[in-house]
Amino acid sequence: MNDQIAQSLFRPTRSAGRMAVGTLLLAGLGYLLRAVWEIRLAAAGEPASGPPDQGEGVHRPLTALEDSYHFVATVTGVLTAVCAICFLAWLRRVRENAADLSGCPPKYSGLWVYLGWIVPVVNLWFPRGIVADAFRTTAPGRRLPASVSIWWALWLTSLVTGIGLIYSASTDEIIARAYSSIWPLLASDAATIGAAAAGALAVRAVTSAQLACLAGDEAATPPEWAGA
């Protein structure tokens, strides 16, 4: 391996991986806090005045607990946005590095790094495919880390619930759901938290494999990151 190539790719790959892992865990923490506040809302019960959004543009004043939930939801949204940016930056980096290391063009066009998450139907497998392709190109013959499949299964679960990272309802509507039917909310939160944790492990596994390849030392990848 050419030392100049290794030097140019080593630090960006490692730093991008660390940023992705850190922001994934922070986003997961945000959803954990959101779940705690939803449990608090359910335990407190809906006020006699009804839900915050009372229809026809009428909104009653929020309680202190509801107001604090708005704050938690806003912080979680910001953390999720930062996480998305860092994860996409990491994904683009490892995709490009895999192509440079192997000398083969990636299986998926660079546009799919971004569009693959929002285009209907293909968003069910393209993002996982890009991660898997980067790993398999970097470490041919090795099994895909189990964390990649777990991350993707949990991510899809959060999408199926309709309340996950792309849920479009207002915060007041979510508060009303916490009062009336909290379990779907908690199920979605749990799937999102699990996806964030598994995603962090997947990022570490793929990054580690790539760094090992750059260093010319395959043994540098911890076996627990490589899957069974």
Side-chain angles (χ1 to χ4, degrees):
M1 178 65 63
N2 186 285
D3 290 342
Q4 186 175 0
I5 295 177
Q7 182 65 24
S8 66
L9 297 179
F10 185 86
R11 288 183 180 177
T13 302
R14 173 171 288 171
S15 60
R18 286 175 174 172
M19 288 295 293
V21 168
T23 54
L24 277 165
L25 294 178
L26 284 175
L29 177 60
Y31 273 86
L32 177 61
L33 290 175
R34 200 177 84 160
V36 170
W37 253 254
E38 288 162 359
I39 293 172
R40 292 181 63 193
L41 287 166
E46 186 175 78
S49 54
D53 185 352
Q54 302 192 331
E56 299 182 355
V58 177
H59 292 261
R60 65 164 172 76
L62 298 175
T63 66
L65 182 58
E66 291 168 348
D67 193 49
S68 64
Y69 181 79
H70 270 264
F71 175 75
V72 170
T74 299
V75 171
T76 300
V78 172
L79 291 174
T80 301
V82 174
C83 173
I85 293 171
C86 292
F87 186 86
L88 290 176
W90 168 82
L91 186 57
R92 179 175 178 177
R93 166 60 62 181
V94 294
R95 174 188 171 276
E96 293 174 349
N97 284 355
D100 291 339
L101 290 167
S102 66
C104 301
K107 182 178 179 180
Y108 299 89
S109 167
L111 286 176
W112 290 118
V113 171
Y114 309 102
L115 296 181
W117 299 88
I118 58 176
V119 176
V121 182
V122 300
N123 65 350
L124 298 178
W125 76 87
F126 269 31
R128 178 190 179 278
I130 295 171
V131 175
D133 183 57
F135 179 84
R136 288 168 176 153
T137 303
T138 300
R142 297 185 59 184
R143 295 188 63 180
L144 185 69
S147 54
V148 174
S149 296
I150 295 172
W151 155 67
W152 193 244
L154 290 171
W155 168 263
L156 291 180
T157 299
S158 73
L159 297 185
V160 169
T161 63
I163 314 170
L165 295 179
I166 62 171
Y167 187 50
S168 59
S170 69
T171 303
D172 283 346
E173 290 174 318
I174 297 176
I175 290 173
R177 285 178 177 238
Y179 287 138
S180 63
S181 181
I182 190 175
W183 293 110
L185 286 174
L186 294 182
S188 178
D189 289 337
T192 305
I193 294 166
L201 291 175
V203 168
R204 292 185 67 183
V206 176
T207 302
S208 180
Q210 199 158 88
L211 292 176
C213 184
L214 287 168
D217 181 13
E218 186 173 324
T221 305
E224 63 270 20
W225 295 354

